[in-house]
């Protein structure tokens, strides 16, 4: 069932286009530096062609205190943004001169760094911050098992950070859309797919173009399930130990209260007072006293049984909590045969539940025209995801999302931008390729916009 609450509102297409125009104006001046290959600085004298400052001056600016530069840049970006909104449709006109109007060389490193920060995705205000989106999505998420699982027990620190953040976001989107099936494109070794299946109970199909990766993912998932089971067994034992300690403490308190109640009832009877004064052994009780005590023990059993269910299952017998002779020996015991049948039924239900929470690695090369029904036979309403969707796989993921009604949401993080195909990178070269990785929007197609391979490579290093 889909969530009833709404997500943070994003800007409309008109506002997005205005921001994009502003960004392109800056990039038309700055791309020459971004597209300069490192080697060209030595072989083609790129420094003299693009920068009107000696290397020492640039290094001096870059060596500035990081904390000082960060605070100063944030203040200046905010000021520039306010000026831009109040005075001019183009924010770049409010910065100091960055490039020479005649030679187009870089004149001010400080102003260039400020402009780069000003036109970053975060400061343009066109995207919802990650934490804000997570906060909104958490309103639909149920309590999950394994909340304290440390991912670095199964993968390295970098990968565990990525998988944890990505899986939490995907789980929130899946809950919001009310779906249980996930398709992981470019699943690779299956880290994200396995974790989504094991922790969040999602049915995941991991699709990768490499058969080696698929077989490796199957083996890795098998080992991960083994470690996961051992981890939860260890966690359950720790919880049972804590519960047993709490129950023992409660048992001591109940025994003390029980003795006090007995003494109070004995002292209330004149005959019993007389016997207690002349005898050192436990007196015989009247029928009314015994009936009262048994009623208290039954209440105590029910209360203790409720506490046990809250803490753990089958850790110990509740009969051990009660004083000797307080209840009949067979009053609360379950026959072994019936208990065995109950266990079998519970295991059967658990097995059926686990069948829907699986990870299935598949091998297939995905394009924008791929038919998912041919790859996944039981395709249903699903969420399409990808962590490190390489090159054109990222835009193809968006194209599949836009064309397939079964896909209710998409969560994709691209990578390897240098492998992204650009339609206008080589305009004079003939090509039979119909769908390009970049650009995708009609506005940039009309502008015949091209970033260039070296600029895309630089973007990978940010």
């Amino acid at each position: 069932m889909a969530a009833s609450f709404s997500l943070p509102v994003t800007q409309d297409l008109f506002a997005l286009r205005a921001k994009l125009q502003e960004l392109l104006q800056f990039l038309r001046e700055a791309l020459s530096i971004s597209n300069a290959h490192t080697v060209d600085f030595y072989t083609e004298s790129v420094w003299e062609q693009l920068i009107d400052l000696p290397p020492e001056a640039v290094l001096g600016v870059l060596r500035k205190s990081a904390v000082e530069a960060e605070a100063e840049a944030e203040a200046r970006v905010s000021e520039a943004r306010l000026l831009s909104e109040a005075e001019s449709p183009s924010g770049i006109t409010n910065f100091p001169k960055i490039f020479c109007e005649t030679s187009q060389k870089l004149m001010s490193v400080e102003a260039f760094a400020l402009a780069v920060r000003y036109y970053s995705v975060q400061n343009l205000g066109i995207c919802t911050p990650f934490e804000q989106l997570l906060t909104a999505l958490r309103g639909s998420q149920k309590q999950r098992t394994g909340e304290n699982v440390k991912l670095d027990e199964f993968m390295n620190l970098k990968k565990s950070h990525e998988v944890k953040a990505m899986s939490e976001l995907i789980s929130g989107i899946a809950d919001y859309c009310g779906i249980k099936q996930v398709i992981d494109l470019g699943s690779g070794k299956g880290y994200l797919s396995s974790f989504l299946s094991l922790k969040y109970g999602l049915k995941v199909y991991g699709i990768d173009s490499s058969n080696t990766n698929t077989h490796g993912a199957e083996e890795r998932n098998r080992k991960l399930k083994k470690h996961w089971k051992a981890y939860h067994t260890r966690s359950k034992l720790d919880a049972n130990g804590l519960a047993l300690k709490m129950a023992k403490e409660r048992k001591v308190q109940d025994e003390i209260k029980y003795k006090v109640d007995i003494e109070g009832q004995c002292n209330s009877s004149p005959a019993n007072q007389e016997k207690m004064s002349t005898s050192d052994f436990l007196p015989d009780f009247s029928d009314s006293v015994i009936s009262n005590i048994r009623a208290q023990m039954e209440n105590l059993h029910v209360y203790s049984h409720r506490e046990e269910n809250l803490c753990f299952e089958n850790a110990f017998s509740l009969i051990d909590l009660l004083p000797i002779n307080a209840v009949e020996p067979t009053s609360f015991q379950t026959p072994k045969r019936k208990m065995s049948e109950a266990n079998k039924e519970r295991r059967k239900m658990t097995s059926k539940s686990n069948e829907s929470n699986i990870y299935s690695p598949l091998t297939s090369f995905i394009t924008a025209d791929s038919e998912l029904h041919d790859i996944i036979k039981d395709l249903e309403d699903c969420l399409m995801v990808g962590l490190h969707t390489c090159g054109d796989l990222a835009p193809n993921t968006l194209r599949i999302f836009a064309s397939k009604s079964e896909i209710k949401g998409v969560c994709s993080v691209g990578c390897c931008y240098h492998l992204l195909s650009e339609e206008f990178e080589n305009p004079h070269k003939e090509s039979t390729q119909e769908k390009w990785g970049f650009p995708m929007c009609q506005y940039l197609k009309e502008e015949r916009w091209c970033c260039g391979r070296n600029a895309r490579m630089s973007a990978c290093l940010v």
Side-chain angles (χ1 to χ4, degrees):
M1 181 177 178
S4 58
F5 62 91
S6 59
L7 294 178
V9 179
T10 57
Q11 297 189 24
D12 57 29
L13 291 178
F14 179 81
L16 290 176
R17 181 162 180 158
K19 298 288 185 181
L20 188 57
Q21 290 174 334
E22 191 176 325
L23 173 62
L24 294 186
Q25 184 177 352
F26 169 68
L27 288 179
R28 287 188 177 94
E29 305 290 339
L31 272 180
S32 58
I33 295 178
S34 298
N35 272 312
H37 196 281
T38 306
V39 177
D40 294 341
F41 279 89
Y42 300 96
T43 61
E44 305 293 336
S45 301
V46 170
W47 190 283
E48 287 77 11
Q49 296 176 25
L50 300 179
I51 302 176
D52 198 23
L53 295 167
E56 293 78 12
V58 175
L59 289 175
V61 174
L62 298 179
R63 286 170 180 165
K64 203 173 182 180
S65 169
V67 177
E68 180 183 348
E70 180 81 14
E72 181 181 344
E74 289 290 348
R76 296 183 65 184
V77 164
S78 299
E79 180 182 357
R81 177 65 61 193
L82 291 173
L83 290 172
S84 171
E85 294 174 352
E87 299 176 6
S88 171
S90 178
I92 197 172
T93 59
N94 296 300
F95 289 121
K97 291 292 184 180
I98 301 176
F99 300 96
C100 177
E101 294 181 358
T102 55
S103 65
Q104 301 301 312
K105 291 183 179 182
L106 178 65
M107 297 175 57
S108 172
V109 179
E110 294 95 334
F112 180 76
L114 178 61
V116 169
R117 184 179 295 274
Y118 177 89
Y119 289 116
S120 65
V121 173
Q122 296 90 333
N123 284 305
L124 281 175
I126 59 177
C127 296
T128 302
F130 179 75
E131 289 299 332
Q132 182 182 346
L133 181 57
L134 272 186
T135 301
L137 289 171
R138 285 191 185 112
S140 67
Q141 286 185 287
K142 301 175 182 178
Q143 184 67 25
R144 303 294 186 178
T145 59
E147 292 292 342
N148 296 322
V149 175
K150 296 180 180 179
L151 292 184
D152 53 11
E153 293 183 11
F154 310 111
M155 56 196 81
N156 63 48
L157 289 175
K158 175 181 179 295
K159 180 62 67 176
S160 66
H161 169 75
E162 295 171 341
V163 169
K164 180 180 179 181
M166 188 77 168
S167 62
E168 186 176 2
L169 180 59
I170 292 171
S171 172
I173 297 175
D175 281 347
Y176 181 82
C177 297
I179 56 180
K180 294 293 290 182
Q181 189 179 89
V182 173
I183 301 175
D184 182 7
L185 297 186
S187 56
K189 298 179 178 180
Y191 289 117
L192 177 63
S193 297
S194 297
F195 195 70
L196 286 171
S197 174
L198 289 171
K199 179 174 181 179
Y200 292 101
L202 296 169
K203 186 175 183 179
V204 185
Y205 286 97
I207 305 177
D208 196 87
S209 61
S210 170
N211 194 49
T212 302
N213 273 347
T214 301
H215 287 301
E218 289 176 343
E219 179 63 17
R220 190 171 291 101
N221 187 55
R222 183 187 66 80
K223 293 180 180 179
L224 183 57
K225 282 183 177 179
K226 181 180 178 181
H227 286 294
W228 191 274
K229 183 177 180 180
Y231 179 91
H232 279 282
T233 300
R234 187 168 64 250
S235 299
K236 185 176 181 180
L237 289 175
D238 292 341
N240 287 350
L242 177 60
L244 180 60
K245 181 180 178 181
M246 294 171 61
K248 286 182 177 179
E249 293 177 353
R250 185 177 295 279
K251 176 183 176 181
V252 173
Q253 295 175 0
D254 291 338
E255 286 180 345
I256 294 174
K257 181 181 178 182
Y258 170 66
K259 291 178 179 179
V260 171
D261 290 342
I262 291 176
E263 291 176 358
Q265 293 190 40
C266 292
N267 292 335
S268 65
S269 171
N272 287 335
Q273 289 179 3
E274 181 180 355
K275 289 182 180 180
M276 288 296 292
S277 64
T278 59
S279 176
D280 294 331
F281 54 86
L282 189 65
D284 294 329
F285 300 127
S286 65
D287 292 340
S288 61
V289 172
I290 293 176
S291 176
N292 194 4
I293 292 174
R294 284 182 175 174
Q296 291 182 26
M297 288 302 96
E298 289 177 4
N299 293 334
L300 174 61
H301 172 79
V302 172
Y303 179 77
S304 300
H305 187 63
R306 188 182 300 116
E307 288 293 325
E308 179 196 3
N309 288 338
L310 290 174
C311 298
F312 57 96
E313 291 182 355
N314 302 326
F316 55 87
S317 174
L318 281 173
I319 219 72
D320 295 334
L321 292 179
L322 303 176
I324 298 175
N325 298 327
V327 294
E328 293 294 330
T330 59
S331 297
F332 305 102
Q333 293 180 348
T334 304
K336 291 184 178 180
R337 182 177 60 82
K338 292 184 178 180
M339 182 64 72
S340 177
E341 291 177 358
N343 286 337
K344 287 181 180 180
E345 185 65 23
R346 185 172 64 252
R347 290 176 182 177
K348 187 185 297 184
M349 294 299 294
T350 302
S351 177
K352 289 181 180 179
S353 175
N354 289 339
E355 287 178 1
S356 62
N357 303 333
I358 59 174
Y359 160 47
S360 303
L362 303 171
T363 302
S364 181
F365 185 81
I366 298 296
T367 67
D369 301 317
S370 295
E371 287 295 336
L372 295 179
H373 280 287
D374 296 337
I375 305 172
I376 302 172
K377 300 305 180 183
D378 62 338
L379 183 67
E380 59 189 48
D381 288 352
C382 63
L383 181 66
M384 182 168 283
V385 306
L387 178 58
H388 297 168
T389 46
C390 184
D392 283 357
L393 182 57
N396 284 339
T397 299
L398 298 178
R399 288 190 173 101
I400 295 173
F401 165 67
S403 62
K404 307 297 181 183
S405 60
E406 299 89 350
I407 304 175
K408 303 304 180 183
V410 63
C411 182
S412 177
V413 176
C415 73
C416 301
Y417 306 124
H418 59 292
L419 299 178
L420 195 68
S421 63
E422 288 199 77
E423 184 175 357
F424 305 108
E425 186 172 16
N426 298 302
H428 304 296
K429 183 180 179 180
E430 293 186 3
S431 176
T432 59
Q433 185 170 342
E434 295 182 359
K435 296 180 179 178
W436 299 83
F438 182 85
M440 292 187 69
C441 75
Q442 188 60 37
Y443 172 67
L444 290 180
K445 286 180 178 291
E446 294 171 356
E447 292 286 325
R448 300 183 66 82
W449 185 265
C450 173
C451 290
R453 187 180 188 278
N454 288 338
R456 288 183 274 113
M457 178 69 81
S458 298
C460 295
L461 305 177
V462 175

